[in-house]
Amino acid sequence: MIAVYGAGGIGCYVGGRLAATGTPVTFIGRPRMAAELATHGLHLTDYLGADLRVADVPFETTPAGAAEADLVLVTVKSAATEGAAEELADVLSPGTVVVSFQNGVRNGEMLRSRLTEQVVVTGMVPFNVLNRGAGVFHQGTEGALDVQRDAALAPYLKAFEQAGLPLAQHDDILPVQWAKLLLNLNNPINALSNLPLRDELSQRAYRRCLAAAQAETLGLLDAAGIRPAQLLAVPMHRFPAVLRLPDFLFRRLASKVLAVDPLARTSMWEDLEAGRTTEIDYLNGEVVRLAESLGRTAPVNARLVELIRAAETDRRSWSGPDLLRQLS
């Protein structure tokens, strides 16, 4: 049995696709989500036209729901990782496989430091999932699931493939995580724009904001000796130049670089809409920490952190030019 620990957008979507294709899955999360899925079930869609449903959703609201699991997918927000590790340590059997499908670059390490008798594997979800309410979860951008290569995953590979979410295994997951984080630097920009992802990226001023955040991060990664993996058709070190192109040129390249449908939104936008604390400290804040470890600064990413923290208590929408001025 597979347990999804932290049944939010990513957890419900990944676990839902597994359940819809015949894999026993138990979801563990908040009572609000338990009530929603009890009423509506799960409805999973994606940008390619997938349309899957799960009528009866096994859902638990306490950590004990994971006790019988052979594989646990941890999909809680980064700030909740330490607490999740403590809770899981009390209920999981030795040898249970635990996969971190979370944003940021340090969650796998946090889980591993506490779950010393379990097999902890670092993973990464490259696509966006929008919670549309009433049990509907939509994958709005392309991408496969990425994981650190580990023999303990072998019994589960077929299930993920049948679910349409094959596991791409990597000998070194850190470059993949940093490549995803480079893409996630757009999360605060999208959230501050208050626009669907495709609409935001269609405007050059917003793209220049992302280019500035990425270029700053790439310089720090070079200094740290970290070369991000290539997740898209364009190598990450060339991505800022592509983002700075005029709109008409960017439109010609965009469909070849990353498939994004009109519904796609970022999780940070969802968090601000719901009045929740965001993961900004584990995205752009991670860049600021990297800069500090190198004796440098990261003013663009630091300013994005400040703007999101302000938006958590005072929501407003920023135009592309206004936001770009804040970062210049």
Side-chain angles (χ1 to χ4, degrees):
M1 186 265 285
I2 295 176
V4 173
Y5 201 81
I10 292 294
C12 284
Y13 183 78
V14 173
R17 290 199 63 142
L18 286 163
T21 48
T23 299
V25 178
T26 293
F27 297 82
I28 302 163
R30 299 181 185 279
R32 178 192 63 78
M33 186 60 73
E36 179 178 324
L37 300 189
T39 301
H40 302 285
L42 274 169
H43 184 188
L44 301 318
T45 59
D46 73 8
Y47 69 103
L48 294 173
D51 195 319
L52 303 169
R53 294 177 185 268
V54 182
D56 298 314
V57 182
F59 203 105
E60 302 288 341
T61 57
T62 68
E68 302 301 318
D70 306 298
L71 171 66
V72 178
L73 309 180
V74 177
T75 55
V76 300
K77 296 288 188 181
S78 296
T81 301
E82 191 171 348
E86 293 292 330
E87 292 169 348
L88 289 171
D90 290 336
V91 300
L92 296 186
S93 301
T96 302
V97 182
V98 178
V99 180
S100 166
F101 279 136
Q102 301 167 272
N103 284 327
V105 297
R106 293 181 292 136
N107 289 300
E109 295 176 8
M110 291 185 199
L111 291 172
R112 199 172 291 112
S113 68
R114 184 64 181 86
L115 300 175
T116 56
E117 296 185 345
Q118 289 73 34
V119 179
V120 177
V121 180
T122 298
M124 189 271 288
V125 180
F127 49 78
N128 293 83
V129 172
L130 175 65
N131 180 355
R132 303 187 68 190
V136 182
F137 296 87
H138 178 75
Q139 177 186 343
T141 58
E142 66 179 305
L145 297 176
D146 295 280
V147 293
Q148 181 81 38
R149 190 181 306 280
D150 197 299
L153 295 172
Y156 312 104
L157 297 180
K158 185 176 180 181
F160 279 91
E161 187 171 352
Q162 289 176 336
L165 298 172
L167 297 179
Q169 298 190 66
H170 305 267
D171 293 324
D172 185 2
I173 196 67
L174 185 63
V176 179
Q177 289 179 286
W178 272 107
K180 172 66 186 307
L181 195 147
L182 281 161
L183 297 177
N184 277 347
L185 296 180
N186 186 54
N187 283 21
I189 298 165
N190 177 255
L192 294 168
S193 77
N194 203 19
L195 294 171
L197 190 57
R198 194 160 76 175
D199 291 348
E200 174 235 324
L201 290 173
S202 71
Q203 299 182 39
R204 190 184 186 199
Y206 289 123
R207 295 199 308 276
R208 288 179 63 194
C209 294
L210 176 55
Q214 287 187 346
E216 181 175 83
T217 305
L218 286 164
L220 294 168
L221 290 174
D222 283 345
I226 301 171
R227 184 172 180 83
Q230 182 173 335
L231 299 183
L232 307 176
V234 176
M236 290 311 303
H237 70 276
R238 294 179 58 190
F239 211 69
V242 172
L243 292 169
R244 294 187 187 105
L245 290 172
D247 289 340
F248 77 97
L249 288 176
F250 181 80
R251 281 194 295 269
R252 293 180 185 178
L253 290 174
S255 62
K256 300 176 183 178
V257 173
L258 177 66
V260 180
D261 77 11
L263 294 176
R265 296 270 194 171
T266 62
S267 59
M268 195 168 291
W269 174 84
E270 284 192 52
D271 287 339
L272 289 184
E273 286 294 293
R276 297 189 294 258
T277 300
T278 70
E279 290 188 291
I280 191 66
D281 287 339
Y282 300 89
L283 299 176
N284 304 73
E286 197 68 56
V287 178
V288 176
R289 276 189 291 275
L290 176 62
E292 290 171 349
S293 74
L294 296 168
R296 299 189 180 190
T297 61
V300 174
N301 284 283
R303 183 60 178 145
L304 285 168
V305 172
E306 292 171 355
L307 291 173
I308 288 295
R309 284 178 176 158
E312 289 173 350
T313 56
D314 185 16
R315 185 82 163 100
R316 61 164 287 188
S317 300
W318 290 81
S319 70
D322 284 345
L323 185 56
L324 185 59
R325 279 191 287 272
Q326 288 288 319
L327 305 182
S328 298

